[in-house]
């Protein structure tokens, strides 16, 4: 399985916390949101990880991952960031936002599904 993490956004709603870094580099319990996600993926032996950067890309420095930069991040949206990283593959691809906090069991559940399309959604997100 391959993972694409979308991290190109401007992070404007969290300023001034994100004036010098994207929101995925904010810390939660002594690790960045991005480090937390990658640790979860690696715990499930998912090591083919690509991060799509854009805004403050120099602030993202994670070892043993692939990087693709959306050079047009200021004028495009998340779809363009995804298109920057997509390439033909026979392997399943899991796509996630870089600023999402999820439990490891979500990845475990996604790995169990055998359908062509898998989607994890929190229905009661307002709670």
């Amino acid at each position: 399985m391959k993972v694409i993490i979308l991290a190109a956004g401007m992070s404007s709603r969290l300023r001034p916390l994100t004036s010098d870094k994207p929101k995925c580099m904010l810390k939660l319990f002594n690790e960045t949101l991005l480090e937390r996600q990658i640790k979860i993926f690696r715990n499930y032996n998912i090591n083919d990880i690509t991060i799509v950067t854009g805004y403050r890309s120099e602030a993202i420095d994670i070892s043993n991952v692939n990087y693709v930069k959306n050079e047009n991040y200021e004028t495009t949206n998340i779809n363009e960031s995804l298109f920057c990283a997509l390439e033909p593959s026979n392997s399943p691809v899991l796509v996630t936002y870089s600023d999402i906090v999820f439990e490891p069991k979500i990845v475990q559940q996604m790995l169990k599904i055998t359908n062509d399309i898998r989607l994890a959604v929190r229905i009661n997100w307002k709670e």
Side-chain angles (χ1 to χ4, degrees):
M1 175 168 286
K2 175 180 182 155
V3 171
I4 298 173
I5 302 174
L6 304 173
M10 297 281 290
S11 309
S12 57
R13 290 180 297 220
L14 284 177
R15 293 212 176 115
L17 296 173
T18 56
S19 294
D20 63 343
K21 62 184 157 263
K23 58 186 162 185
C24 65
M25 296 307 289
L26 295 174
K27 288 194 173 190
L28 177 67
F29 306 120
N30 297 319
E31 64 186 347
T32 68
L33 300 176
L34 192 55
E35 289 168 336
R36 184 178 189 283
Q37 280 191 12
I38 290 171
K39 182 171 71 176
I40 291 170
F41 293 132
R42 288 183 175 156
N43 283 340
Y44 285 98
N45 293 316
I46 302 171
N47 296 301
D48 187 357
I49 300 170
T50 298
I51 300 171
V52 182
T53 65
Y55 173 73
R56 302 287 191 208
S57 61
E58 70 284 352
I60 299 176
D61 186 22
I62 308 287
S63 60
N64 299 317
V65 299
N66 304 305
Y67 290 95
V68 175
K69 185 171 183 180
N70 175 357
E71 297 289 347
N72 301 313
Y73 69 90
E74 291 183 71
T75 59
T76 60
N77 60 29
I78 200 102
N79 294 328
E80 181 68 22
S81 292
L82 178 58
F83 294 146
C84 289
L86 282 179
E87 54 189 45
S89 173
N90 290 329
S91 173
V93 178
L94 191 151
V95 180
T96 185
Y97 298 117
S98 64
D99 58 347
I100 301 295
V101 177
F102 53 82
E103 296 180 39
K105 71 179 181 180
I106 297 299
V107 175
Q108 182 182 29
Q109 291 169 351
M110 297 303 273
L111 291 171
K112 288 180 180 178
I113 299 170
T114 58
N115 297 348
D116 289 342
I117 296 175
R118 307 161 194 190
L119 179 64
V121 177
R122 178 162 181 193
I123 295 171
N124 298 321
W125 61 272
K126 287 185 178 182
E127 293 177 5

